Protein backbone atom coordinates (compact mmCIF):
# COMPACT_ATOMS: atom_id res chain seq x y z
CA UNK A 1 0.00 0.00 0.00
CA UNK A 2 2.85 2.38 0.85
CA UNK A 3 4.34 2.12 -2.61
CA UNK A 4 1.15 3.25 -4.34
CA UNK A 5 0.20 5.93 -1.82
CA UNK A 6 1.83 8.71 -3.91
CA UNK A 7 -0.27 7.60 -6.89
CA UNK A 8 -3.46 7.61 -4.83
CA UNK A 9 -2.69 11.05 -3.40
CA UNK A 10 -1.85 12.41 -6.86
CA UNK A 11 -5.08 11.04 -8.31
CA UNK A 12 -7.13 12.43 -5.43
CA UNK A 13 -5.49 15.85 -5.81
CA UNK A 14 -6.23 15.93 -9.55
CA UNK A 15 -9.86 14.92 -9.05
CA UNK A 16 -10.43 17.50 -6.32
CA UNK A 17 -8.71 20.27 -8.30
CA UNK A 18 -10.66 19.40 -11.45
CA UNK A 19 -13.98 19.44 -9.57
CA UNK A 20 -13.18 22.96 -8.40
CA UNK A 21 -11.64 24.31 -11.61
CA UNK A 22 -14.41 22.96 -13.84
CA UNK A 23 -16.51 25.81 -12.46
CA UNK A 24 -14.05 28.47 -13.69
CA UNK A 25 -14.26 29.45 -17.35
CA UNK A 26 -11.23 29.70 -19.61
CA UNK A 27 -12.29 31.53 -22.72
CA UNK A 28 -15.61 30.75 -24.37
CA UNK A 29 -15.48 26.97 -24.77
CA UNK A 30 -13.36 25.64 -21.92
CA UNK A 31 -12.99 25.57 -18.15
CA UNK A 32 -9.72 25.39 -16.25
CA UNK A 33 -10.66 21.85 -15.28
CA UNK A 34 -10.00 20.79 -18.87
CA UNK A 35 -6.31 21.40 -18.24
CA UNK A 36 -6.02 19.45 -14.97
CA UNK A 37 -8.26 16.41 -15.40
CA UNK A 38 -6.31 14.79 -18.29
CA UNK A 39 -3.36 14.28 -15.95
CA UNK A 40 -5.44 11.61 -14.20
CA UNK A 41 -4.58 9.41 -17.18
CA UNK A 42 -0.89 10.16 -16.63
CA UNK A 43 -1.12 8.94 -13.03
CA UNK A 44 -2.97 5.77 -14.08
CA UNK A 45 -0.47 5.00 -16.83
CA UNK A 46 2.58 5.54 -14.62
CA UNK A 47 1.15 3.19 -11.98
CA UNK A 48 0.28 0.67 -14.68
CA UNK A 49 3.76 0.68 -16.20
CA UNK A 50 5.62 0.45 -12.88
CA UNK A 51 3.32 -1.70 -10.72
CA UNK A 52 0.92 -3.39 -13.13
CA UNK A 53 -2.76 -3.25 -14.09
CA UNK A 54 -4.14 -4.48 -10.75
CA UNK A 55 -2.40 -1.69 -8.85
CA UNK A 56 -3.48 0.89 -11.42
CA UNK A 57 -7.09 -0.16 -10.90
CA UNK A 58 -6.75 0.41 -7.15
CA UNK A 59 -5.59 3.96 -7.85
CA UNK A 60 -8.54 4.46 -10.22
CA UNK A 61 -11.04 3.29 -7.59
CA UNK A 62 -9.45 5.65 -5.06
CA UNK A 63 -9.89 8.51 -7.51
CA UNK A 64 -13.47 7.45 -8.18
CA UNK A 65 -14.24 7.44 -4.45
CA UNK A 66 -12.76 10.93 -4.15
CA UNK A 67 -14.85 12.14 -7.07
CA UNK A 68 -18.04 10.70 -5.57
CA UNK A 69 -17.28 12.41 -2.26
CA UNK A 70 -16.72 15.74 -4.04
CA UNK A 71 -19.99 15.35 -5.95
CA UNK A 72 -21.93 14.55 -2.77
CA UNK A 73 -20.54 17.66 -1.11
CA UNK A 74 -21.34 19.72 -4.20
CA UNK A 75 -24.96 18.61 -4.27
CA UNK A 76 -25.37 19.99 -0.75
CA UNK A 77 -23.91 23.41 -1.58
CA UNK A 78 -26.56 25.79 -2.81
CA UNK A 79 -25.69 28.69 -5.06
CA UNK A 80 -27.90 31.71 -5.54
CA UNK A 81 -28.62 33.43 -8.83
CA UNK A 82 -31.21 35.73 -10.39
CA UNK A 83 -33.46 32.73 -11.12
CA UNK A 84 -33.27 31.30 -7.61
CA UNK A 85 -31.14 28.75 -5.75
CA UNK A 86 -29.52 25.72 -7.37
CA UNK A 87 -26.97 23.08 -6.30
CA UNK A 88 -23.30 23.58 -7.15
CA UNK A 89 -23.29 20.06 -8.62
CA UNK A 90 -26.42 18.70 -10.29
CA UNK A 91 -27.36 15.03 -10.37
CA UNK A 92 -26.63 14.79 -14.09
CA UNK A 93 -23.21 16.37 -13.75
CA UNK A 94 -22.41 14.04 -10.84
CA UNK A 95 -23.52 10.97 -12.81
CA UNK A 96 -21.68 12.04 -15.94
CA UNK A 97 -18.52 12.83 -14.04
CA UNK A 98 -18.48 9.60 -12.03
CA UNK A 99 -19.48 7.23 -14.82
CA UNK A 100 -17.19 8.97 -17.33
CA UNK A 101 -14.22 8.82 -14.97
CA UNK A 102 -14.64 5.18 -13.94
CA UNK A 103 -15.37 3.86 -17.45
CA UNK A 104 -12.59 5.83 -19.12
CA UNK A 105 -9.95 5.06 -16.49
CA UNK A 106 -10.67 1.33 -16.42
CA UNK A 107 -10.62 1.30 -20.22
CA UNK A 108 -7.31 3.16 -20.09
CA UNK A 109 -5.89 0.44 -17.81
CA UNK A 110 -7.11 -2.35 -20.13
CA UNK A 111 -5.77 -0.75 -23.32
CA UNK A 112 -2.43 0.07 -21.69
CA UNK A 113 -2.05 -3.49 -20.39
CA UNK A 114 -2.81 -4.89 -23.85
CA UNK A 115 -0.17 -2.69 -25.50
CA UNK A 116 2.50 -2.65 -22.77
CA UNK A 117 4.85 -4.81 -24.83
CA UNK A 118 5.14 -2.27 -27.65
CA UNK A 119 7.31 0.84 -27.90
CA UNK A 120 7.44 2.86 -24.67
CA UNK A 121 5.06 5.56 -25.91
CA UNK A 122 2.49 3.32 -27.61
CA UNK A 123 0.61 2.14 -24.52
CA UNK A 124 0.33 5.51 -22.68
CA UNK A 125 -0.60 7.43 -25.82
CA UNK A 126 -3.18 4.96 -27.16
CA UNK A 127 -4.78 4.32 -23.76
CA UNK A 128 -5.02 8.05 -22.98
CA UNK A 129 -6.53 8.85 -26.37
CA UNK A 130 -9.15 6.11 -26.06
CA UNK A 131 -9.93 6.91 -22.43
CA UNK A 132 -10.15 10.65 -23.03
CA UNK A 133 -12.54 10.19 -25.95
CA UNK A 134 -14.83 7.91 -23.96
CA UNK A 135 -14.77 10.17 -20.90
CA UNK A 136 -15.69 13.24 -22.96
CA UNK A 137 -18.56 11.46 -24.73
CA UNK A 138 -20.04 10.03 -21.54
CA UNK A 139 -19.73 13.14 -19.40
CA UNK A 140 -21.10 15.75 -21.78
CA UNK A 141 -23.90 13.52 -23.11
CA UNK A 142 -25.11 12.52 -19.64
CA UNK A 143 -24.71 15.98 -18.16
CA UNK A 144 -26.21 18.14 -20.90
CA UNK A 145 -27.99 16.29 -23.73
CA UNK A 146 -31.65 17.29 -24.03
CA UNK A 147 -32.48 13.68 -24.90
CA UNK A 148 -31.58 12.59 -21.35
CA UNK A 149 -33.55 15.28 -19.52
CA UNK A 150 -35.70 12.54 -17.92
CA UNK A 151 -32.76 11.74 -15.60
CA UNK A 152 -33.28 15.02 -13.75
CA UNK A 153 -36.44 16.76 -15.02
CA UNK A 154 -36.02 19.71 -12.65
CA UNK A 155 -32.59 20.52 -14.06
CA UNK A 156 -32.97 22.99 -16.93
CA UNK A 157 -30.18 22.35 -19.47
CA UNK A 158 -31.76 24.50 -22.14
CA UNK A 159 -28.73 26.80 -22.13
CA UNK A 160 -26.48 23.87 -23.07
CA UNK A 161 -28.73 22.89 -25.97
CA UNK A 162 -28.93 26.31 -27.62
CA UNK A 163 -28.02 25.91 -31.29
CA UNK A 164 -24.80 27.79 -32.08
CA UNK A 165 -22.06 27.47 -34.71
CA UNK A 166 -19.72 24.63 -33.68
CA UNK A 167 -16.80 26.26 -31.84
CA UNK A 168 -18.05 29.58 -33.17
CA UNK A 169 -17.30 28.83 -36.83
CA UNK A 170 -18.73 25.44 -37.83
CA UNK A 171 -22.25 24.14 -38.55
CA UNK A 172 -25.00 24.70 -36.02
CA UNK A 173 -24.90 22.33 -33.06
CA UNK A 174 -25.98 22.39 -29.40
CA UNK A 175 -23.63 24.43 -27.23
CA UNK A 176 -22.67 21.35 -25.19
CA UNK A 177 -21.26 19.72 -28.33
CA UNK A 178 -18.87 22.66 -28.80
CA UNK A 179 -17.87 22.39 -25.15
CA UNK A 180 -17.26 18.66 -25.60
CA UNK A 181 -15.20 19.07 -28.76
CA UNK A 182 -13.05 21.79 -27.20
CA UNK A 183 -12.54 19.66 -24.08
CA UNK A 184 -11.63 16.62 -26.22
CA UNK A 185 -9.09 18.60 -28.25
CA UNK A 186 -7.35 19.75 -25.06
CA UNK A 187 -7.25 16.17 -23.78
CA UNK A 188 -5.66 14.97 -27.01
CA UNK A 189 -3.01 17.68 -26.86
CA UNK A 190 -2.22 16.94 -23.21
CA UNK A 191 -2.01 13.21 -23.96
CA UNK A 192 0.94 14.02 -26.22
CA UNK A 193 2.54 16.46 -23.78
CA UNK A 194 2.14 13.99 -20.90
CA UNK A 195 4.47 11.53 -22.62
CA UNK A 196 7.41 13.62 -21.38
CA UNK A 197 6.63 13.42 -17.65
CA UNK A 198 5.50 9.80 -18.15
CA UNK A 199 8.95 8.85 -19.46
CA UNK A 200 10.75 10.76 -16.69
CA UNK A 201 8.63 9.56 -13.77
CA UNK A 202 8.56 5.92 -14.90
CA UNK A 203 12.35 5.88 -15.29
CA UNK A 204 12.82 7.38 -11.81
CA UNK A 205 10.42 4.91 -10.15
CA UNK A 206 11.96 1.92 -11.90
CA UNK A 207 15.44 3.00 -10.78
CA UNK A 208 14.18 3.32 -7.22
CA UNK A 209 12.60 -0.14 -7.37
CA UNK A 210 15.82 -1.70 -8.69
CA UNK A 211 17.85 0.08 -6.04
CA UNK A 212 15.56 -1.23 -3.32
CA UNK A 213 15.53 -4.77 -4.67
Amino acid sequence: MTRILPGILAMAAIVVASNILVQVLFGQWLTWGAFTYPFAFLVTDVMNRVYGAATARKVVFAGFATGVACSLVGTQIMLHGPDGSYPAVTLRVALGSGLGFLTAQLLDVAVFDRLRGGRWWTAPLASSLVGSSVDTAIFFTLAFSAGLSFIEPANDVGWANAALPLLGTGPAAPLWVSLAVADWMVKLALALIALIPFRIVVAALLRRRRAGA
Side-chain angles (χ1 to χ4, degrees):
M1 180 65 179
T2 303
R3 67 180 185 176
I4 67 171
L5 184 58
I8 292 176
L9 293 177
M11 181 66 82
I14 290 170
V15 170
V16 171
S18 299
N19 272 273
I20 295 172
L21 294 175
V22 75
Q23 302 176 67
V24 184
L25 288 175
F26 176 83
Q28 188 174 1
W29 310 110
L30 291 168
T31 69
W32 279 103
F35 298 95
T36 56
Y37 174 77
F39 287 100
F41 293 101
L42 171 62
V43 174
T44 303
D45 291 345
V46 167
M47 301 306 292
N48 202 340
R49 173 64 77 188
V50 178
Y51 301 113
T55 298
R57 291 190 189 96
K58 292 179 182 178
V59 173
V60 167
F61 287 126
F64 176 71
T66 302
V68 169
C70 289
S71 295
L72 289 176
V73 171
T75 59
Q76 301 305 307
I77 298 175
M78 299 303 294
L79 303 178
H80 304 281
D83 298 323
S85 300
Y86 54 93
V89 178
T90 65
L91 173 62
R92 291 185 61 176
V93 167
L95 286 175
S97 177
L99 185 59
F101 176 88
L102 189 60
T103 303
Q105 292 292 330
L106 292 179
L107 184 58
D108 177 280
V109 172
V111 173
F112 188 106
D113 197 46
R114 185 68 179 271
L115 300 176
R116 68 167 58 251
R119 303 183 68 175
W120 72 267
W121 52 266
T122 303
L125 182 59
S127 61
S128 294
L129 293 180
V130 172
S132 295
S133 300
V134 170
D135 176 75
T136 300
I138 291 176
F139 172 72
F140 282 94
T141 302
L142 271 178
F144 302 119
S145 173
L148 297 177
S149 59
F150 63 88
I151 295 176
E152 190 179 17
N155 178 17
D156 181 12
V157 293
W159 63 270
N161 289 274
L164 296 171
L166 184 66
L167 295 178
T169 59
L175 171 60
W176 70 266
V177 175
S178 289
L179 299 177
V181 170
D183 182 86
W184 178 69
M185 292 172 66
V186 170
K187 287 176 180 172
L188 297 191
L190 289 179
L192 289 169
I193 295 172
L195 290 176
I196 299 173
F198 172 84
R199 182 72 162 173
I200 295 171
V201 174
V202 166
L205 290 177
L206 289 176
R207 282 197 302 269
R208 182 179 301 177
R209 289 194 72 187
R210 287 192 292 267

